[in-house]
Amino acid sequence: MNNITLYGADYSVYVRIARMVLEEARVPYRLVDVDIFAAEKIPSDYPDRHPFGKIPALEHDGFRLFETDAIAAYTVDLSGDRSLIPATARDRARTIQIMRIMDHYGYPSLVWGVFVEEVERQRTGQLDNAKVELARRTLTVVDGLMGGRFLGGEQPTLADLWAYPMFTYFGMAPTGNRLIAEFPRLGAWKDTMSGRPSAQATRFPRERRAGRVAPGAD
Ligand SMILES: N[C@@H](CCC(=O)N[C@@H](CS)C(=O)NCC(=O)O)C(=O)O
């Protein structure tokens, strides 16, 4: 099982989701850096791995796969540990529902509408109100669906691994941080998730930089 390669960048939300699944499932892998936003650095064969030009992509013994969902399902099957996927029909459906909410409503609003605008592009005060409202609605709905200490119940599931990287970027933006504070259960969940080894092993470069002690500081 130790010849799994994941292609992608350590700053990417979807690469981090795939990595957190691999880490939680204890499936060894190596990460090959593909910086999808730096055209000159993308390997010439990458379009064969991902014809839609996104990250991540995976290769295992010559078997190639892309789409984070498919990578997650394959990882769970390889590991033989199905605890990331709830056993009952309703819990499983809820988990999938939260994953798709994060894909379709959370990613465009939390990550692109708030984090990228406010932190990467420094457009504080110029956010698209519709995106901020979509982010607030995403939090309201996920908070309402939350099944216990974790999003899908009392154990971590794929829903947590989908949402956590998006919430991490969102929480780095002042607007995101303020919005999360309106939902104490989600705030507590995010803190719980941040302590998991899978989250620590896959921290975004921005988190690693923020955690570094400035020279001269004690
Ligand atoms: N549906 C894809 C989405 C992956 C995705 O959007 N990846 C982003 C990085 S987080 C990307 O590659 N963006 C490059 C682009 O849109 O040009 C999946 O589930 O893997």
Side-chain angles (χ1 to χ4, degrees), residues 26-93:
R26 297 193 168 77
V27 172
Y29 68 99
R30 72 186 178 109
L31 181 67
V32 169
D33 185 44
V34 175
D35 184 352
I36 203 69
F37 293 111
E40 72 287 356
K41 290 200 214 149
I42 300 174
S44 57
D45 67 344
Y46 194 69
D48 295 335
R49 299 193 180 279
H50 201 314
F52 299 98
K54 306 261 184 197
I55 47 176
L58 177 139
E59 180 162 342
H60 177 217
D61 282 343
F63 174 64
R64 291 183 174 191
L65 199 57
F66 65 87
E67 283 304 306
T68 307
D69 242 349
I71 291 171
Y74 184 68
T75 300
V76 166
D77 281 341
L78 272 186
S79 77
D81 171 3
R82 304 200 63 79
S83 61
L84 289 173
I85 300 175
T88 71
R90 288 187 180 183
D91 288 348
R92 202 162 45 243

Side-chain angles (χ1 to χ4, degrees), residues 64-140:
R64 291 183 174 191
L65 199 57
F66 65 87
E67 283 304 306
T68 307
D69 242 349
I71 291 171
Y74 184 68
T75 300
V76 166
D77 281 341
L78 272 186
S79 77
D81 171 3
R82 304 200 63 79
S83 61
L84 289 173
I85 300 175
T88 71
R90 288 187 180 183
D91 288 348
R92 202 162 45 243
R94 197 58 95 208
T95 292
I96 294 170
Q97 185 183 19
I98 293 172
M99 291 160 69
R100 294 298 79 79
I101 288 169
M102 295 314 302
D103 283 338
H104 298 303
Y105 315 112
Y107 184 61
S109 61
L110 274 65
V111 178
W112 285 97
V114 174
F115 165 75
V116 170
E117 287 299 307
E118 208 164 47
V119 178
E120 301 267 338
R121 298 180 180 153
Q122 304 192 337
R123 293 197 186 134
T124 302
Q126 304 167 58
L127 299 188
D128 175 351
N129 201 41
K131 288 278 166 51
V132 176
E133 283 314 306
L134 184 58
R136 189 194 299 277
R137 182 168 304 183
T138 302
L139 267 57
T140 305

Side-chain angles (χ1 to χ4, degrees), residues 179-199:
L179 274 174
I180 292 172
E182 292 177 19
F183 299 87
R185 286 199 319 164
L186 287 177
W189 161 82
K190 183 170 172 282
D191 289 345
T192 302
M193 285 301 296
S194 73
R196 293 189 73 78
S198 63

